[in-house]
Amino acid sequence: MQNFVQNGAVVEVPAPYAVSSGGGALVGSIFGIAQADAESGATVALMRSGVFTHAKTSAQAWTVGAKLYWDDTNKVFTTSASGNTLVGVAMAVAANPSATGTVLLDGAAR
């Protein structure tokens, strides 16, 4: 196909803020996990799909399949929809309290 650009699993975008490798980043409605460190405004490659272990709101229990939102202020995943962006689902149970959870990103922020 002459109009194919890329598969979209990994996209390069300007970093919305300084982000570390393995950190989440929300650029408009594009969410992904950074493949490398990037300063604000620098190009960063974001993985938009896959399963990742990442920081979560500690005082939450997660069930498998629970909707997960990105809290762009605190840079963590949460089950709280209020003011946050839907980005994936929990792939494993996470206890309350716990610092990390297992997240499935499906490539779309909503």
Side-chain angles (χ1 to χ4, degrees):
M1 281 189 305
Q2 294 179 348
N3 59 343
F4 180 79
V5 176
Q6 62 180 349
N7 71 18
V10 177
V11 295
E12 291 188 350
V13 296
Y17 34 73
V19 63
S20 297
S21 176
L26 182 63
V27 181
S29 292
I30 300 169
F31 179 81
I33 302 295
Q35 288 188 317
D37 296 350
E39 293 299 318
S40 181
T43 300
V44 63
L46 297 180
M47 296 185 70
R48 297 182 52 247
S49 60
V51 179
F52 303 87
T53 299
H54 199 280
K56 66 180 264 305
T57 300
S58 178
Q60 291 180 340
W62 292 0
T63 57
V64 174
K67 291 181 181 180
L68 296 178
Y69 301 83
W70 179 247
D71 175 345
D72 203 42
T73 300
N74 297 303
K75 309 298 186 263
V76 296
F77 288 94
T78 179
T79 56
S80 175
S82 181
N84 300 313
T85 303
L86 179 62
V87 295
V89 297
M91 278 299 295
V93 171
N96 173 6
S98 59
T100 62
T102 305
V103 179
L104 168 64
L105 301 181
D106 66 2
R110 303 175 247 339

